[in-house]
Amino acid sequence: MAADGFFRIALGVEYKGSRYRGWQRQASGVATVQETLEKALSKVADSPVSLHCAGRTDAGVHACGQVVHFDTQVERSMKAWVMGANINLPHDVSVSWAKVMPADFHARFKAIARRYRYVIYNDQIRPAHLNEEITWNHRPLDVERMSEAAQYLVGIHDFSAFRAGQCQAKSPIKELHHLRVTRHGKMIVLDIRANAFLHHMVRNIAGVLMTIGTGERPVEWMKEVLESRVRRSGGVTAHPFGLYLVQVEYRDEFELPERYIGPHFLTGFSELDG
């Protein structure tokens, strides 16, 4: 129970972010994932629902492992929350699970790690499929160079050089647990896990890695950018369409349901597991 007479419910959520101005509710008439999901859940509850999420994704960014929570006095089965929400949601947002949580659970503040994947389609010809779900780069990318450069970022660092100007995080110091770069045919996947992320951090890292992958800059440029702590030293911010929030981790005591690490079209690549 969250408070007297209230239940705290956590949900697993996935969405295609292409037509939304990000997660966070904005001015009336602006499509956001939060408002879309709150409206659907409010119909199930027959009363207003206000959501808290693990990570506020930007416009155009996707999620297959978002975690949210809300408090309600309404009693519904977990199946009813899932199925009821999905009946009332558009095709590009889906609830995958629901669970009653203890009062001290919070989707954002209790998260101990977050994981993103950035998917690049690397070919001279623009793809007709998945065109809003991957980033296309027509220049040949050297995965070995990108992987070598990525290792400069692993560990505890000041990531100011990869931080958007409007970032509201109190500290630029984050711990990056891993950053793997792998090729799967025409696709290159950046798999990045950290305790927390700054605004645009993954997209700015992706931009630097792709510049190094083309040979335009040396591998050591990643170290120079990191140590500069200046955003303008890092080049372009990569497109949002290839970015996915794929996992949010919590302490074992919360026993949240586990699902595959997405996005869906990558689930057959066993070498990505881990």
Side-chain angles (χ1 to χ4, degrees), residues 86-100:
N86 287 338
I87 287 170
N88 289 289
L89 283 168
H91 67 281
D92 50 8
V93 183
S94 179
V95 174
S96 52
W97 55 262
K99 189 175 188 293
V100 179

Side-chain angles (χ1 to χ4, degrees), residues 71-84:
D71 293 338
T72 181
Q73 291 180 297
V74 175
E75 291 192 48
R76 300 280 189 271
S77 69
M78 296 304 100
K79 182 178 180 180
W81 285 119
V82 173
M83 302 306 291

Side-chain angles (χ1 to χ4, degrees), residues 61-250:
V61 175
H62 317 296
C64 37
Q66 178 71 276
V67 177
V68 307
H69 84 262
F70 63 95
D71 293 338
T72 181
Q73 291 180 297
V74 175
E75 291 192 48
R76 300 280 189 271
S77 69
M78 296 304 100
K79 182 178 180 180
W81 285 119
V82 173
M83 302 306 291
N86 287 338
I87 287 170
N88 289 289
L89 283 168
H91 67 281
D92 50 8
V93 183
S94 179
V95 174
S96 52
W97 55 262
K99 189 175 188 293
V100 179
M101 301 302 296
D104 65 336
F105 175 81
H106 193 287
R108 178 183 175 191
F109 298 121
K110 291 296 183 178
I112 57 175
R114 294 163 178 83
R115 185 173 175 180
Y116 284 85
R117 282 179 173 170
Y118 191 85
V119 187
I120 304 160
Y121 184 82
N122 190 210
D123 189 69
Q124 289 185 335
I125 306 302
R126 174 177 55 82
H129 305 288
L130 300 176
N131 64 339
E132 293 183 330
E133 296 173 65
I134 55 176
T135 286
W136 171 49
N137 192 316
H138 70 281
R139 300 173 68 185
L141 296 174
D142 186 325
V143 168
E144 290 186 8
R145 287 170 54 85
M146 294 169 71
S147 184
E148 186 180 349
Q151 301 320 301
Y152 284 115
L153 302 183
V154 176
I156 300 173
H157 300 287
D158 181 330
F159 284 95
S160 293
F162 302 95
R163 176 182 191 171
Q166 62 269 44
C167 181
Q168 298 177 353
K170 293 180 180 177
S171 170
I173 298 173
K174 305 298 174 188
E175 182 176 8
L176 201 152
H177 302 135
H178 75 237
L179 175 45
R180 304 178 188 132
V181 184
T182 53
R183 179 181 284 277
H184 311 272
K186 297 291 187 183
M187 287 192 287
I188 295 172
V189 180
L190 315 182
D191 188 313
I192 180 168
R193 178 180 180 269
N195 63 333
F197 289 87
L198 302 169
H199 192 199
H200 285 177
M201 179 172 159
V202 178
R203 290 169 57 192
N204 289 333
I205 289 173
V208 171
L209 285 175
M210 283 190 280
T211 302
I212 291 171
T214 63
E216 185 179 336
R217 292 278 193 162
V219 168
E220 295 74 23
W221 185 52
M222 178 65 83
K223 185 173 185 286
E224 295 173 16
V225 172
L226 176 66
E227 293 179 350
S228 75
R229 301 182 183 179
V230 176
R231 172 66 202 109
R232 65 177 176 272
S233 67
V236 244
T237 301
H239 202 283
F241 281 175
L243 183 57
Y244 293 79
L245 172 60
V246 297
Q247 187 180 35
V248 183
E249 298 176 48
Y250 299 88

